[in-house]
Amino acid sequence: MRVARHLWLATLLWLLPLVPTAAQTLPSSDACRDCHLALEEESLVAPARAYERDVHAETGFGCLACHGSGGTNQLNPAAGFLAAPERREIPGMCGRCHSDAVFMRQFDPGLRVDQVQEYWTSRHGELLQDSNDPDVATCIDCHPAHEIRPADDPASTVHPSNILSTCGRCHANPARMAAREIGTSQVAEYTGSVHGQLLLEEGDLSAPVCNDCHGNHGAAPPGLASVRNVCGQCHSVMADYFDDSAHGQIFEEADLPGCALCHEHHAIESVDDAALLARSEDVCLTCHEPPDTLGLEFRRIAAVLDTLNRAAEASRAILEEAENVGMEVSQALFELEDVGNAQTRAHSAIHTFQVAPVREQVAAGMEITVRAAERGREALDEHRFRRLGLGASASIILLLIIGLLMKIRELERAEDTS
Amino acid sequence: MTDGTGPGSRARGAIGRFASWLDDRIGLSAIMPVLRKKEVPVHRHSFWYYIGGMALFLFLLQIATGILLLFYYRPSAEGAYESIQFLMAEVEFGWLIRSIHSWGANLMIFMAFVHMFSVMLLKAYRAPREITWITGVGLLFVSMGLGFTGYLLPWNELSFFATRVGTEIPGVVPVVGPFIRDVLRGGEDVSGATLTRFYALHVSVLPALAFMLVALHVLLVQRHGMSVPPSIEAEGGPRRSMKFFPQFLLRDLVGWLAALAMLAAAAAFFPAHLGEKADPFAPAPAGIQPEWYFMFMFQTLRYLPAEIMGIEGELVGVGAFGVVGIVLLFVPFLDKPKGPDAKPGKLWTWLTFGALAYILLFSYLGYTFDPNA
């Protein structure tokens, strides 16, 4: 298909000079577009149509900015006209502008200019450089030629919400990946992961996606030693705990992949305490085989965490009971939310692989739950007091009413007798 | 202790001397003959005489509880919600005061409506009680204004958005509408400026107006006495009467105590709700609706088409309610028997029943309205 397209293009280019109209000189991008839009071949029409939405078109660049110029005879390849560049030529072609800091400053001073340089360090770049792999991704595979949009445009292929499908176009394609002996389950695994759920279900654009761990233009799998650093970009507290733990040094010496050993690569799950227990049974005991009891430390950690979970649930139940009977406990409920922070800190402390630091964080959370439960019980006591108070005041009012009615009757009788 | 020298007798003697001392200075004894002289007619419609007194009692209760609330309330967007939260959760009996104020406001307006309709149906507005009627209708409007302004003060989500809808309505009036809306809001949208304005109206302007109207209304009721309905007059007038003091007042007291017990029960079983703090940037929550006494008007505006004979539908609705309000004020002048011996017509009686049915029906429709249907 690619050869057929090139043949069509070559034939067309060859025939174009025979067209006795303004198309012969193509003085402007409009002329390129007008002519392409008038063609019947969809593959030649589509670029002209798509380019209307391209950020370069919006900035004022015409077709010839990329396709070169041949002076008055602009369709002459010998004079510099570049119809369809070879894949190998693409990084250089984009880099003509994008690697030129002085040039780029005129249009987007904040945009980096080292993308091409990074690209050649990427796995994609290496493959293109070393083996001229025809299927390896170049600039236009992620930034579709003729319809390049800024990364913050939700319709852009490199917007965080679209990156998964952009990478997945190749990396989830078994036919493409078979020859490279790369698995294709990453997209599916990521989709089910805690990060994938955040991004895809909750629309949280701050959730990491492919490029946050693998890099953008320098995309490559993180090395074993880098995994901790990659995860530590966001999970810095846990990474620090891990570094200071006994495991930090041992993992480094044994070339173990840090975080990924327990948390997997792409299928990173949200770890609740039940999952922690189950997962630890699998992972910890792999190295800490009985009679080594260190591997069982996680059971004690899980028990400590469970104490806090149960206390928080109990306190919430008391406060909700008070709220349901109409008591004002919103402040206490709000303060109870802080238990979540204590739980997060306790979960972070798991990466010390010791009970004591976890217990310390749990103790802080327990204080909050005790206070909340106290407030809840006070509210319920107050509620009972109100009922009693109502009963007492209603009785007093009733007695007063009875007294008044008796007085009225007495006055009526006095009137009747007079 | 029957020789008149015991502690009880000495105390009574001291009270008597104090009363005498006070009487010399302010003339209290002059009031008693007036009160003892005042008579209240007794007939089959006498029950309705108690409603006005009940509304007055609830008004005084609102003043008392409102003053107590002022001790803690902070009228600012930053502090209003928190101060009510504090009052409800931390202040001894704060919940009771606020709940009684909230329930009392509803009961007071309900009683004001009942009083107005009973007066209309018994034609108690007839000469020479026209001014009494006008002050009464004015009091109903002021009470509704107090309800509207007070609703925003907790600065919670529902009150914020209901006020946004409520203050938008006068904005449809041509020329002056947007000005009125902006004056009410203290800006283009409901904000902290609206809260302070509503606060000022709620605790000073409207109560002052209400006090003046109540004073005039009660004074006129005292001057003209209780009106006897035309049907009773046609039967030759009431067969008997009772003394205002103490017989009628004691019966009034029974009703007031019963109302107080009801409010206490409502406060204990259904304390005033606080909800979420208002967030001007949050989307309006579902189920935004005004207080029940505005519901029939709100529902009417919902049903109106976008345009009626080339005029904006909402404007027609607002205009119509404005006209009804003015007509209401002048009912005594519009419902006049033709000729000196003519009997009062039935037209206004039917109009009153019609208005009552309209309010009940549209309030019902308002509470059962499904915006998604």
Side-chain angles (χ1 to χ4, degrees):
Chain A
M1 285 299 286
R2 192 181 294 275
V3 175
R5 201 174 73 199
H6 288 174
L7 275 174
W8 260 105
L9 197 62
T11 312
L12 188 79
L13 291 173
W14 185 252
L15 291 174
L16 268 177
L18 302 178
V19 182
T21 61
Q24 198 164 16
T25 52
L26 290 178
S28 70
S29 299
D30 284 345
C32 300
R33 191 194 63 200
D34 294 347
C35 192
H36 271 261
L37 288 175
L39 295 170
E40 288 184 1
E41 173 61 41
E42 180 55 29
S43 64
L44 295 172
V45 175
R49 198 181 291 137
Y51 193 64
E52 290 172 6
R53 300 185 290 271
D54 194 294
V55 67
H56 297 100
E58 287 172 9
T59 319
F61 289 97
C63 309
L64 298 178
C66 295
H67 290 284
S69 167
T72 50
N73 190 0
Q74 290 164 331
L75 296 177
N76 181 2
F81 178 72
L82 186 62
E86 292 293 325
R87 294 180 70 73
R88 238 185 125 98
E89 295 170 336
I90 289 170
M93 193 181 87
C94 297
R96 269 199 336 240
C97 299
H98 281 273
S99 298
D100 184 340
V102 176
F103 181 78
M104 288 306 295
R105 199 182 299 142
Q106 301 171 75
F107 304 99
D108 190 348
L111 198 66
R112 289 171 59 165
V113 289
D114 58 352
Q115 299 99 328
V116 175
Q117 201 181 339
E118 271 198 315
Y119 175 77
W120 292 122
T121 69
S122 75
R123 189 67 190 132
H124 299 133
E126 283 174 3
L127 282 169
L128 186 68
Q129 187 91 293
D130 300 342
S131 52
N132 199 15
D133 187 335
D135 282 336
V136 78
T138 66
C139 313
I140 59 167
D141 293 290
C142 299
H143 307 279
H146 304 115
E147 197 179 343
I148 297 171
R149 295 171 190 253
D152 58 1
D153 181 341
S156 166
T157 48
V158 291
H159 185 266
S161 59
N162 298 323
I163 281 186
L164 188 66
S165 59
T166 299
C167 298
R169 219 155 33 89
C170 299
H171 284 277
N173 182 344
R176 277 202 150 179
M177 293 296 121
R180 292 164 184 78
E181 295 180 348
I182 298 177
T184 53
S185 60
Q186 301 94 329
V187 170
E189 285 173 357
Y190 174 84
T191 304
S193 75
V194 62
H195 297 140
Q197 284 169 4
L198 273 175
L199 178 71
L200 305 171
E201 290 175 20
E202 295 177 26
D204 183 349
L205 296 181
S206 68
V209 68
C210 317
N211 64 319
D212 291 297
C213 298
H214 294 281
N216 299 306
H217 302 95
L224 292 176
S226 316
V227 170
R228 174 252 172 251
N229 294 335
V230 169
C231 300
Q233 290 180 104
C234 301
H235 302 284
S236 57
V237 176
M238 296 168 193
D240 289 344
Y241 275 134
F242 182 79
D243 286 346
D244 295 342
S245 75
H247 287 99
Q249 198 182 346
I250 294 167
F251 271 46
E252 198 177 335
E253 287 167 5
D255 268 350
L256 290 170
C259 319
L261 189 73
C262 298
H263 294 283
E264 298 288 350
H265 299 84
H266 301 100
I268 299 164
E269 289 176 9
S270 172
V271 186
D272 59 25
D273 296 339
L276 168 75
L277 209 58
R279 185 108 188 99
S280 305
E281 293 277 0
D282 289 343
V283 180
C284 305
L285 298 185
T286 311
C287 298
H288 296 283
E289 288 177 347
D292 176 1
T293 54
L294 282 175
L296 301 177
E297 191 77 349
F298 65 85
R299 287 189 185 157
R300 292 204 283 155
I301 291 176
V304 170
L305 289 171
D306 195 43
T307 315
L308 180 57
N309 295 344
R310 285 171 189 274
E313 276 173 29
S315 299
R316 182 171 299 282
I318 294 171
L319 286 172
E320 281 175 353
E321 188 189 342
E323 190 179 41
N324 287 340
V325 295
M327 300 304 292
E328 171 53 46
V329 287
S330 56
Q331 185 63 29
L333 276 166
F334 178 74
E335 284 168 10
L336 185 62
E337 295 295 316
D338 272 349
V339 169
N341 293 333
Q343 284 169 321
T344 303
R345 284 194 292 270
H347 277 111
S348 299
I350 291 172
H351 297 85
T352 61
F353 306 100
Q354 290 178 337
V355 178
V358 177
R359 189 174 283 141
E360 196 181 314
Q361 301 299 338
V362 164
M366 289 299 283
E367 277 180 28
I368 297 169
T369 62
V370 167
R371 268 201 310 273
E374 211 170 287
R375 297 285 296 275
R377 277 190 285 272
E378 279 172 11
L380 287 171
D381 287 346
E382 167 76 13
H383 181 251
R384 278 185 284 275
F385 171 75
R386 288 183 190 182
R387 294 290 167 96
L388 282 173
L390 171 68
S393 59
S395 304
I396 294 168
I397 290 174
L398 189 66
L399 284 174
L400 279 171
I401 290 175
I402 292 168
L404 283 172
L405 290 173
M406 286 168 69
K407 179 71 183 170
I408 290 166
R409 177 68 61 88
E410 186 191 318
L411 287 170
E412 279 176 350
R413 279 190 192 137
E415 262 182 25
D416 289 345
T417 51
S418 64
Chain B
M1 299 296 172
T2 53
D3 58 357
T5 57
S9 300
R10 279 201 294 275
R12 277 196 294 276
I15 291 169
R17 281 195 298 280
F18 176 71
S20 170
W21 179 87
L22 204 61
D23 187 38
D24 289 343
R25 282 148 187 87
I26 59 176
L28 271 177
S29 57
I31 299 170
M32 291 314 287
V34 177
L35 286 175
R36 287 190 195 284
K37 195 180 165 193
K38 189 174 162 54
E39 297 269 335
V40 177
V42 178
H43 49 79
R44 63 177 178 276
H45 298 303
S46 291
F47 169 77
W48 302 107
Y49 292 149
Y50 296 102
I51 306 297
M54 178 75 84
L56 176 63
F57 165 70
L58 291 166
F59 173 71
L60 297 174
L61 192 66
Q62 288 305 101
I63 299 292
T65 51
I67 288 170
L68 291 174
L69 290 177
L70 280 177
F71 292 163
Y72 289 94
Y73 182 70
R74 293 201 301 273
S76 73
E78 294 75 30
Y81 180 87
E82 286 75 9
S83 65
I84 299 282
Q85 200 174 39
F86 178 76
L87 179 94
M88 293 292 284
E90 308 291 339
V91 178
E92 289 284 339
F93 296 106
W95 62 275
L96 183 66
I97 300 299
R98 177 170 177 247
S99 299
I100 287 185
H101 193 76
S102 170
W103 281 108
N106 284 291
L107 195 58
M108 181 183 84
I109 293 175
F110 176 74
M111 287 300 167
F113 266 106
V114 173
H115 185 46
M116 184 191 76
F117 277 109
S118 68
V119 167
M120 280 187 89
L121 291 170
L122 298 174
K123 296 193 181 293
Y125 47 66
R126 288 165 302 145
R129 297 182 177 82
E130 294 95 330
I131 307 293
T132 319
W133 167 263
I134 290 172
T135 54
V137 173
L139 268 172
L140 177 72
F141 292 163
V142 171
S143 302
M144 291 168 82
L146 281 163
F148 183 63
T149 50
Y151 192 53
L152 178 69
L153 299 190
W155 198 247
N156 61 24
E157 201 178 36
L158 272 179
S159 69
F160 176 86
F161 286 101
T163 304
R164 184 182 270 176
V165 174
T167 49
E168 196 60 56
I169 292 170
V172 300
V173 177
V175 188
V176 294
F179 174 74
I180 295 170
R181 183 196 58 205
D182 292 352
V183 167
L184 276 174
R185 288 180 172 179
E188 287 185 1
D189 201 356
V190 177
S191 65
T194 322
L195 183 71
T196 49
R197 278 167 193 237
F198 274 38
Y199 172 73
L201 289 170
H202 190 77
V203 305
S204 63
V205 179
L206 292 173
L209 207 56
F211 260 123
M212 286 189 278
L213 287 170
V214 165
L216 189 56
H217 193 75
V218 172
L219 186 76
L220 290 172
V221 169
Q222 296 308 309
R223 180 173 171 77
H224 299 301
M226 303 295 198
S227 159
V228 176
S231 58
I232 304 294
E233 278 180 350
E235 293 165 9
R239 288 180 190 162
R240 63 190 187 92
S241 63
M242 72 166 93
K243 299 268 184 214
F244 176 79
F245 185 84
Q247 281 89 334
F248 185 81
L249 200 59
L250 286 176
R251 284 173 170 80
D252 251 348
L253 265 174
V254 171
W256 298 356
L257 285 171
L260 193 63
M262 272 169 57
L263 288 176
F269 285 98
F270 311 103
H273 188 62
L274 184 56
E276 297 286 319
K277 185 177 179 176
D279 177 2
F281 300 107
I288 288 291
Q289 56 187 31
E291 290 278 61
W292 61 268
Y293 37 89
F294 292 116
M295 183 55 93
F296 69 96
M297 290 188 265
F298 185 65
Q299 190 60 18
T300 306
L301 296 180
R302 264 183 183 160
Y303 282 138
L304 289 176
E307 259 193 22
I308 299 169
M309 292 187 293
I311 306 169
E312 197 182 336
E314 206 171 336
L315 176 60
V316 173
V318 172
F321 283 119
V323 170
V324 169
I326 294 167
V327 167
L328 197 62
L329 276 170
F330 295 103
V331 165
F333 306 102
L334 299 169
D335 182 21
K336 275 198 177 295
K338 306 281 184 286
D341 299 326
K343 289 179 183 173
K346 290 279 180 198
L347 172 69
W348 283 93
T349 303
W350 287 115
L351 282 176
T352 307
F353 278 123
L356 199 53
Y358 183 90
I359 290 172
L360 291 174
L361 176 68
F362 274 70
S363 297
Y364 170 77
L365 291 172
Y367 283 107
T368 54
F369 181 76
D370 180 5
N372 302 315

